[in-house]
Amino acid sequence: MAGYLARRFLNYLVLLFVATFLTYLLASLTFDPLANLLGRNPPPAPEVIAAKRAALHLGDNPVVRYFAWLRDVLTGNFGETVAAGSVNDELWRRILVSLRLVVLGTVLGAVIGTLIGAYSAVRQYKLFDHIATIVTFVLLSVPVLVLAPVLKYVAVQVNQSTGSTIFQYTGETSTTVGPGLWTEVVDRAQHLVVPTLVLILFTLGSYSRYMRGSMLDELGSDYIRTARGKGLTRGRAVFRHGFRTALIPMATLFAFGMGAVITGATFTERVFGWYGMGDWLVYGITSQDINITLAVSLFTALSVLISGMLTDILTAALDPRVRV
C-alpha cells in the first residue's frame, strides 16, 4: 500500500506543477498589472512605473518568471501584490477563513448525501425515495449563486419573525462581540451556519444521486444474493457488503468534486461577506494581480490534490485489490 500511495503522490506533484505553470502562463499573457497605475490622473512618473515593473519582474520571460515565483514559493515567499503589499500578509488568514467553510460544508454534504442516496436505493420507489429524488434534483438544478441569496433571505425572515438574531449572515464575525471565549464561539457559529448550509446543499444533491445509482448496482449483484443464501439478513448483507463496495466510486467523486465545492465557496463568500480565498480570487482577477491569482490557484490545486490523496487512502481501505 505504501508503494501505491507513493506513486500516487508523485503523480499529484506533477499535476500540481502543470496546473500552476499553465495558470501562471495564462495570467502572464492576459493580465496587465500596471493598467490601474497607468490609468491614474495625473499619470505617475516614468521612474515610478519602471520601479513597479522591476518589482513585479514584468520585463522577464513568463517561463523565467514562473520558475522564479516557484523558487520563492518553496521558501515561503508568495511575492508582492500590485498594491505593493505582501501576499503572505493576507494568505494564511484567508486560507483559514475558507477552510472553515469548505471543509465543514464538503464533509457534511458528502456524508449526508451518501447516506440519503444509500437509503433511497434500499427504499427504491418508496415514499422516501420519491421525496429524496425530487429534493436532490431541485438542488442540482439551482446554482449556488441563486441558492446563497435565497438562504440569506430565509435567514433574514426567520430573524424578523422571531425578533432575534438566530442567524448571522454578514461577515465571519460581528464587529463587536461580548467578553468571554464562549460568546465569541457562539458568535462565529451563528455566522457559520447559513453559508455552510449553502455548501452542504450544493454538495448533497450530486452525492445522493451518485450513491443511489452505485448502491442499486450493488444490490443486484450476485455476492449479495450469496450472502443472503448463507444466512445473513438483508440489512446485514447490504451494510457489510453492498454499502462498502458502493462507497468505492464515491471516494473518487469526493476528490474531483472538491474543485466544484471551492468554486461554490467563491460565490458563497461574496454573498455573505466572508473575506476568504474565493473573495480574494475575484479581487485578484479584477485588479489583474498575477501573484494573488496564483496563490489562490495553488491553494485550490493543493486542496484538490490533498482530497485526492485522502481518496486514494480510502479506496485502498475499501478495496483490498488496490493494495496488491
Side-chain angles (χ1 to χ4, degrees):
M1 182 174 176
Y4 162 75
L5 293 177
R7 289 192 300 272
R8 300 294 294 173
F9 179 73
L10 291 176
N11 289 339
Y12 288 143
L13 286 181
V14 174
L15 291 174
L16 183 62
F17 170 79
V18 172
T20 54
F21 175 75
L22 292 178
T23 304
Y24 196 97
L25 191 63
L26 180 62
S28 298
L29 295 175
T30 56
F31 284 1
D32 183 9
L34 300 181
N36 292 332
L37 189 63
L38 293 172
R40 292 179 181 176
N41 189 18
E47 54 270 19
V48 175
I49 300 295
K52 175 61 71 173
R53 187 179 299 275
L56 297 175
H57 306 285
L58 297 180
D60 298 337
N61 181 282
V63 177
V64 175
R65 286 161 55 194
Y66 169 76
F67 283 102
W69 173 84
L70 183 61
R71 182 194 62 234
D72 292 340
V73 166
L74 293 176
T75 62
N77 178 18
F78 287 84
E80 183 180 294
T81 67
V82 174
S86 173
V87 175
N88 291 46
D89 292 342
E90 282 284 309
L91 179 63
W92 305 113
R93 184 193 67 80
R94 287 181 178 268
I95 284 177
L96 292 176
V97 170
S98 291
L99 286 179
R100 264 183 284 166
L101 276 178
V102 173
V103 172
L104 196 59
T106 303
V107 172
L108 290 177
V111 171
I112 296 172
T114 298
L115 293 177
I116 291 175
Y119 191 67
S120 293
V122 174
R123 304 290 297 174
Q124 187 181 19
Y125 303 137
K126 300 296 192 300
L127 179 62
F128 180 87
D129 184 33
H130 289 305
I131 294 175
T133 298
I134 294 172
V135 172
T136 52
F137 274 130
V138 170
L139 292 177
L140 287 171
S141 62
V142 178
V144 70
L145 71 162
V146 174
L147 183 62
V150 167
L151 288 186
K152 185 175 182 178
Y153 174 78
V154 171
V156 172
Q157 296 304 311
V158 170
N159 286 349
Q160 290 180 350
S161 62
T162 58
S164 61
T165 54
I166 300 175
F167 301 111
Q168 298 282 0
Y169 42 82
T170 303
E172 57 181 296
T173 185
S174 301
T175 54
T176 56
V177 183
L181 177 62
W182 177 248
T183 305
E184 183 177 353
V185 170
V186 171
D187 179 73
R188 288 187 177 274
Q190 287 178 310
H191 284 82
L192 187 62
V193 168
V194 183
T196 301
L197 183 59
V198 171
L199 292 184
I200 290 174
L201 295 177
F202 175 69
T203 308
L204 183 149
S206 58
Y207 279 94
S208 174
R209 300 315 300 168
Y210 276 107
M211 185 61 186
R212 182 181 183 276
S214 179
M215 193 71 178
L216 286 175
D217 291 338
E218 302 304 325
L219 290 177
S221 300
D222 292 337
Y223 66 88
I224 295 290
R225 288 191 290 269
T226 302
R228 292 291 308 278
K230 290 182 177 181
L232 285 181
T233 62
R234 183 174 185 270
R236 289 176 62 86
V238 168
F239 181 77
R240 291 181 56 182
H241 300 286
F243 183 72
R244 176 174 177 173
T245 308
L247 281 177
I248 296 175
M250 298 302 299
T252 305
L253 178 65
F254 176 78
F256 294 103
M258 179 60 72
V261 174
I262 294 177
T263 302
T266 299
F267 294 107
T268 304
E269 289 177 8
R270 296 290 288 182
V271 170
F272 292 99
W274 281 58
Y275 298 107
M277 297 298 281
D279 174 81
W280 210 24
L281 175 62
V282 175
Y283 172 78
I285 294 175
T286 304
S287 60
Q288 303 192 66
D289 195 310
I290 297 175
N291 286 337
I292 290 179
T293 305
L294 260 293
V296 179
S297 299
L298 180 61
F299 165 74
T300 303
L302 279 174
S303 300
V304 174
L305 297 185
I306 289 173
S307 65
M309 281 298 298
L310 294 176
T311 295
D312 292 335
I313 294 173
L314 180 60
T315 302
L318 293 171
D319 190 353
R321 297 171 297 179
V322 175
R323 302 194 293 265
V324 178

